[in-house]
């Protein structure tokens, strides 16, 4: 696993910024490479704008494509498990067993979300059928479902470095 220290915004790797920081091993005080770019308000604004722009296209993605997307994220994380655990251990000092449990939980959450899409339970579809003959007024046909409304930002806790 190669770390560039750069942000990936809208599928493009951003140029390194002048502002940056390095991780430090809390056990040895060793400064770790690479330099990580610091994102500022312009990067956050750009990412939010791109998410809003791309939202309608992703909203139209089929359930099967969403399942494949989530399962591919889980598979990609799993494919670099060893390197992730090693790096996270260097940066946090947390024991590998704890990190492995956290990483497994994160992978399983992606799989659970994929399974929820397969089952369509996330839609919470409810149908209250109308009764046009009802007196004194007809009862209308009412249908409820959940649909995506917009992008979501996730801010992870630093005490769970592999959770999202």
């Amino acid at each position: 696993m190669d770390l560039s220290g750069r942000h990936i915004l809208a599928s493009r790797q951003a140029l390194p910024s002048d502002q940056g920081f390095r991780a430090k091993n809390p056990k040895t005080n060793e400064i770790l490479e690479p330099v990580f770019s610091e994102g500022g308000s312009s990067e956050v604004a750009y990412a939010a704008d791109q998410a809003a722009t791309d939202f309608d296209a992703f909203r139209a993605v089929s359930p099967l494509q969403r399942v494949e997307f989530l399962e591919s994220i889980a598979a990609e994380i799993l494919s670099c498990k060893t390197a992730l655990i090693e790096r996270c251990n260097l940066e946090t000092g947390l024991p590998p067993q704890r990190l492995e449990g956290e990483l497994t939980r994160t992978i399983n959450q992606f799989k659970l979300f994929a399974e929820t899409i397969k089952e369509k339970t996330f839609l919470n579809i409810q149908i209250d059928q109308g009764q046009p003959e009802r007196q004194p007024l007809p009862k209308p046909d009412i249908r409820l479902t959940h649909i995506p409304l917009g992008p979501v930002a996730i801010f992870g806790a630093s005490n769970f470095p592999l959770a999202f």
Side-chain angles (χ1 to χ4, degrees):
M1 178 175 74
D2 292 328
L3 294 177
S4 70
R6 297 181 184 176
H7 298 284
I8 298 175
L9 301 170
S11 301
R12 290 180 294 184
Q13 198 171 86
L15 295 173
S17 71
D18 294 336
Q19 300 294 317
F21 65 93
R22 286 187 171 87
K24 183 168 98 173
N25 183 324
K27 291 181 179 178
T28 65
N29 287 326
E30 173 191 6
I31 303 298
L32 305 171
E33 293 294 330
V35 174
F36 289 96
S37 296
E38 287 187 27
S41 58
S42 62
E43 287 83 9
V44 172
Y46 177 74
D49 288 344
Q50 288 302 299
T53 299
D54 294 340
F55 173 72
D56 286 331
F58 190 74
R59 184 179 184 185
V61 166
S62 74
L64 177 59
Q65 289 171 305
R66 291 177 192 211
V67 166
E68 290 171 349
F69 176 65
L70 291 167
E71 289 176 344
S72 71
I73 292 171
E76 287 291 326
I77 293 171
L78 186 58
S79 75
C80 58
K81 177 182 178 176
T82 301
L84 273 172
I85 298 295
E86 288 172 4
R87 179 64 188 212
C88 196
N89 173 257
L90 285 176
E91 289 186 15
T92 66
L94 293 171
Q97 298 85 352
R98 152 95 188 268
L99 297 169
E100 285 179 24
E102 191 172 313
L103 187 74
T104 300
R105 184 183 67 234
T106 297
I107 290 168
N108 287 338
Q109 285 174 329
F110 279 106
K111 290 178 179 180
L112 177 64
F113 294 151
E115 193 61 37
T116 301
I117 292 172
K118 287 178 192 175
E119 295 171 355
K120 298 184 181 179
T121 55
F122 75 100
L123 293 172
N124 192 26
I125 295 172
Q126 298 177 27
I127 299 173
D128 187 7
Q129 294 189 342
Q131 297 173 345
E133 69 286 343
R134 188 179 83 170
Q135 294 297 323
L137 296 171
K139 178 182 171 190
D141 188 66
I142 299 173
R143 293 166 187 250
L144 172 75
T145 188
H146 291 268
I147 59 170
L149 297 177
V152 175
I154 299 171
F155 300 90
S158 61
N159 60 333
F160 293 103
L162 297 175
F164 65 93

